[in-house]
Amino acid sequence: MIKSKRNALISLAFFLLAAALGVFLRFLYVFDISVDYRYIVHTHSHIALLGWVYIGLTTLLYKLYLGKCNVDKRYRIIFWFTQFTLLGMLFSFPFQGYALFSITFSTLFLFASYWFTGFFIKNIPEKFKDAKSYKCIKIALWYMVISSIGPWALGAIMSTLGTNSIWYRLAIYFYLHFQYNGWMILALFGLLIFILEHQEVCVSNRDFSSFSWTINLGIILSFFLSVLWTRPADIYYILGGVGGLLQCIAFLIFIRLLIKSKTLLNNIFSGFQKKLLKTIGILILIKFLLQLISAFPYFANLATTIIDFTIGYLHWTFLGVVSISLFLFLAYFKLIKIPEKGYYIYLLGFVLTEVLIFYKGAVIWLDFIFFEHYFITLSIASVVVLIGISFLFIANLRSIKI
């Protein structure tokens, strides 16, 4: 348990670092600092996705499914090798962007993720193999592996077609789509189902089958929403729209499943944890609705021509849906503490930054004039997010012996 708590704290440290880099990026619009903006963006995104989310999720998966399987020694090797690749990215991306060393460490991370996936599936105890939660988790891990086709393709695309090719952006969007919508979202659903199973809440085969087929078909088809910026044939808008609609339907199926277990859920989660769960539900519903409307040509064009809408959506998913879900699950399984004060500071910063990012997009869309000191206000809002995460990190640092 202590080692799992330490690993969870390490993931939280990466989140803190990613938030600090985010604040630095905001202040680049306010102060004249001589750095390459793109290099810091690459560092920020890699540390956030691969440090905070990947380490947080895999720490949970190991504890819940393999914690009692006597494979700790092999897992430690995988874990610390992964940390080596993350530190390599941290100290190479800011200085060279995508170049020899950063690409090397990024590639090594991909191998580390394959290593963990194979290790996890190979060592899963027999009692979990038919569990509905494990079926979700297993597919989520495969989505993570599939997403890596994007980074592998980038090398060939850069050397042959160049970074201005549409295939360059498509490879990045392929990676992000199957990371966010496949690996992360499905793994989070799986963790909630694990809690229901652990508490002996009955999840009917029929309900689960409906949810599983709908969410997975939705994940696959909604990838076509990521290609609409190329102005493709109408069929791609239809396929993307069907994918977005299926994800909305899958969410409603899952909510119906939870409503059936409402009485038991009230006994499973604390009052604060139920607030987190409700917040996540609202955030993920809005996320799915935003995806759905982006299938319409007008909104698809809006989302791709005004980058702030894209950034706002990605932050909504990452800082909202995924990160608050991780707070909930890490706290529920007692791997970290979530002081309410620190969480509400974080939530305030998240809401403020989202309002300001979408505001900027709306101003560009409607041809309005920015209010004075917009960028300094956005920077301050980002500092609020950093303060919230710092509050959480310090609270856990005091309680965990590294």
Side-chain angles (χ1 to χ4, degrees), residues 113-154:
S113 67
Y114 300 158
W115 190 2
F116 175 83
T117 300
F119 164 80
F120 182 82
I121 293 174
K122 179 181 178 181
N123 291 287
I124 200 75
E126 194 68 33
K127 66 178 181 178
F128 288 125
K129 288 186 177 179
D130 291 324
K132 296 176 177 67
S133 61
Y134 173 66
K135 291 176 181 178
C136 275
I137 297 297
K138 186 177 180 181
I139 297 172
L141 285 167
W142 280 116
Y143 280 133
M144 180 182 67
V145 172
I146 290 169
S147 76
S148 68
I149 294 172
W152 285 119
L154 276 179

Side-chain angles (χ1 to χ4, degrees), residues 306 308-309 312 351-375 377-378:
I306 301 177
D308 296 277
F309 287 146
V351 171
L352 289 174
T353 54
E354 285 297 293
V355 168
L356 289 166
I357 291 170
F358 280 107
Y359 160 81
K360 184 185 174 194
V363 166
I364 296 171
W365 171 31
L366 302 171
D367 198 23
F368 289 169
I369 299 174
F370 285 104
F371 70 82
E372 193 176 3
H373 306 308
Y374 167 80
F375 288 107
T377 305
L378 181 58

Side-chain angles (χ1 to χ4, degrees), residues 50-99:
L50 310 181
W52 161 233
V53 179
Y54 176 83
I55 298 301
L57 279 175
T58 53
T59 295
L60 280 164
L61 297 186
Y62 178 77
K63 170 184 164 47
L64 301 182
Y65 291 95
L66 303 182
K68 299 179 180 179
C69 293
N70 197 29
V71 291
D72 187 57
K73 184 175 180 181
R74 280 176 284 170
Y75 173 67
R76 281 203 308 269
I77 296 171
I78 299 172
F79 180 83
W80 290 114
F81 177 72
T82 305
Q83 303 313 303
F84 167 72
T85 68
L86 289 167
L87 290 174
M89 285 184 270
L90 176 61
F91 291 109
S92 56
F93 270 117
F95 306 105
Q96 61 173 197
Y98 276 105

Side-chain angles (χ1 to χ4, degrees), residues 157-224:
I157 293 168
M158 290 172 68
S159 61
T160 56
L161 302 174
T163 56
N164 293 323
S165 164
I166 65 169
W167 293 102
Y168 178 80
R169 284 177 65 182
L170 285 173
I172 294 173
Y173 291 159
F174 182 92
Y175 172 73
L176 289 175
H177 174 77
F178 284 104
Q179 279 280 314
Y180 277 102
N181 295 300
W183 154 232
M184 296 177 191
I185 296 296
L186 196 57
L188 293 171
F189 275 122
L191 288 171
L192 186 52
I193 294 172
F194 179 93
I195 293 174
L196 297 179
E197 291 174 333
H198 185 68
Q199 295 293 331
E200 298 183 349
V201 175
C202 179
V203 178
S204 73
N205 291 332
R206 181 179 177 181
D207 284 344
F208 178 76
S209 180
S210 298
F211 167 75
S212 182
W213 277 103
T214 309
I215 192 72
N216 283 293
L217 191 54
I219 289 168
I220 294 167
L221 290 179
S222 62
F223 166 68
F224 291 106

Side-chain angles (χ1 to χ4, degrees), residues 139-363:
I139 297 172
L141 285 167
W142 280 116
Y143 280 133
M144 180 182 67
V145 172
I146 290 169
S147 76
S148 68
I149 294 172
W152 285 119
L154 276 179
I157 293 168
M158 290 172 68
S159 61
T160 56
L161 302 174
T163 56
N164 293 323
S165 164
I166 65 169
W167 293 102
Y168 178 80
R169 284 177 65 182
L170 285 173
I172 294 173
Y173 291 159
F174 182 92
Y175 172 73
L176 289 175
H177 174 77
F178 284 104
Q179 279 280 314
Y180 277 102
N181 295 300
W183 154 232
M184 296 177 191
I185 296 296
L186 196 57
L188 293 171
F189 275 122
L191 288 171
L192 186 52
I193 294 172
F194 179 93
I195 293 174
L196 297 179
E197 291 174 333
H198 185 68
Q199 295 293 331
E200 298 183 349
V201 175
C202 179
V203 178
S204 73
N205 291 332
R206 181 179 177 181
D207 284 344
F208 178 76
S209 180
S210 298
F211 167 75
S212 182
W213 277 103
T214 309
I215 192 72
N216 283 293
L217 191 54
I219 289 168
I220 294 167
L221 290 179
S222 62
F223 166 68
F224 291 106
L225 296 173
S226 299
V227 310
L228 299 184
W229 61 275
T230 65
R231 307 288 180 86
D234 291 347
I235 185 63
Y236 292 96
Y237 289 87
I238 296 170
L239 290 173
V242 170
L245 181 61
L246 286 172
Q247 285 187 302
C248 290
I249 293 171
F251 176 72
L252 294 177
I253 293 171
F254 197 83
I255 291 298
R256 186 184 67 180
L257 184 154
L258 293 181
I259 290 173
K260 289 181 179 180
S261 311
K262 186 176 180 180
T263 303
L264 291 168
L265 280 172
N266 288 332
N267 298 323
I268 292 173
F269 295 105
S270 68
F272 177 58
Q273 289 170 352
K274 280 183 280 189
K275 290 180 182 178
L276 291 180
L277 192 60
K278 289 176 182 176
T279 301
I280 295 162
I282 293 168
L283 291 172
I284 198 169
L285 176 59
I286 294 173
K287 170 198 154 40
F288 286 149
L289 290 174
L290 287 173
Q291 278 188 192
L292 181 59
I293 66 171
S294 70
F296 295 93
Y298 178 80
F299 293 104
N301 180 60
L302 204 62
T304 55
T305 55
I306 301 177
I307 190 64
D308 296 277
F309 287 146
T310 302
I311 293 172
Y313 168 76
L314 291 175
H315 280 197
W316 184 276
T317 303
F318 174 73
L319 291 175
V321 176
V322 175
S323 293
I324 295 176
S325 296
L326 276 176
F327 289 161
L328 171 63
F329 292 127
L330 289 169
Y332 178 83
F333 291 108
K334 303 186 186 310
L335 295 182
I336 64 172
K337 296 178 181 178
I338 303 294
E340 291 191 33
K341 183 178 179 180
Y343 166 72
Y344 285 121
I345 293 172
Y346 171 84
L347 186 62
L348 174 63
F350 164 68
V351 171
L352 289 174
T353 54
E354 285 297 293
V355 168
L356 289 166
I357 291 170
F358 280 107
Y359 160 81
K360 184 185 174 194
V363 166

